[in-house]
Amino acid sequence: MNFDAYARTGVDLVNTRLDGLDDLRAIIPDDNAWMRDEVAERDLPIFRRAQKRLRDVFEYGTSGRDAEAVAELNSLLEAFPVQPRISGHDSSDWHMHVTSRGASVSAEYLAGAVWGLSVWLCEYGSARFGVCADDRCGNVYLDTSSNCCRRFCSERCATRSHVAAHRARKRAAVPTQSDPLTPVP
């Protein structure tokens, strides 16, 4: 089982705008394309509630509130229980899934996401759950850095934030004409 892939489905869900079914279909990975066809309007509010609760897990982890992150994940594990099953077409293709194929799209997707994030927390700790440090972003991420020092969800956000900070420092360093202690050339 690829727990990282399941955990990343949780990240994808939190970082997605869920205005309608098309937004929901867009986050479903190709290896679960059947979900795109079966997702229904009734799944949307379930995904939205889970999205908020998963964001809380990342915020708890980022702020060092391990017990709250664990409690929320445990609650989500109860709401979306894992029912492992072997899947595949022949003996060279067997692999594990977290729920039965008869489950709703929301039950299967969310069981995988919650299970993946729970395994991630047990393996690496909740400090590896991050919320982007760029105030304009707010995306969540899983910190895979070697020393748990990641602060941004992407290189793009890191660069944008660092450039903005650099420009702010340059503006602050430029002397103003009204400053009596600054010599005028």
Side-chain angles (χ1 to χ4, degrees):
M1 263 179 119
N2 185 347
F3 295 115
D4 285 354
Y6 278 118
R8 290 183 200 292
T9 63
V11 170
D12 293 343
L13 174 60
V14 174
N15 291 340
T16 297
R17 189 176 173 145
L18 288 178
D19 290 332
L21 283 177
D22 288 339
D23 296 328
L24 187 51
R25 286 183 182 109
I27 64 168
I28 296 173
D30 289 338
D31 58 337
N32 287 324
W34 67 268
M35 288 183 178
R36 287 189 207 121
D37 297 331
E38 292 185 21
V39 71
E41 206 56 51
R42 71 180 176 276
D43 291 307
L44 205 49
I46 296 167
F47 273 92
R48 286 180 180 141
R49 283 191 299 275
Q51 181 183 48
K52 190 224 173 290
R53 291 179 71 186
L54 289 172
R55 175 169 291 285
D56 289 345
V57 169
F58 279 85
E59 290 179 4
Y60 295 148
T62 299
S63 63
R65 295 160 56 196
D66 295 350
E68 284 113 323
V70 168
E72 188 62 33
L73 282 172
N74 278 333
S75 177
L76 285 163
L77 284 168
E78 288 178 31
F80 303 103
V82 174
Q83 302 167 344
R85 70 179 174 95
I86 299 171
S87 182
H89 303 292
D90 58 46
S91 62
S92 65
D93 168 332
W94 299 125
H95 56 279
M96 295 296 294
H97 282 274
V98 296
T99 61
S100 66
R101 183 58 169 58
S104 69
V105 171
S106 55
E108 182 154 349
Y109 186 99
L110 294 170
V114 172
W115 179 255
L117 290 171
S118 298
V119 170
W120 183 274
L121 181 138
C122 291
E123 184 77 20
Y124 304 108
S126 70
R128 294 289 182 154
F129 291 170
V131 178
C132 188
D134 186 337
D135 294 334
R136 296 164 288 186
C137 178
N139 280 345
V140 302
Y141 60 89
L142 297 169
D143 186 349
T144 57
S145 66
S146 60
N147 57 357
C148 195
C149 65
R150 188 169 166 190
R151 295 180 38 233
F152 299 95
C153 68
S154 66
E155 286 297 320
R156 179 177 178 226
C157 278
T159 300
R160 183 175 58 207
S161 183
H162 292 129
V163 167
H166 171 74
R167 289 180 179 158
R169 284 191 304 272
K170 282 186 80 167
R171 277 192 305 274
V174 172
T176 61
Q177 292 288 349
S178 62
D179 186 352
L181 301 176
T182 304
V184 178

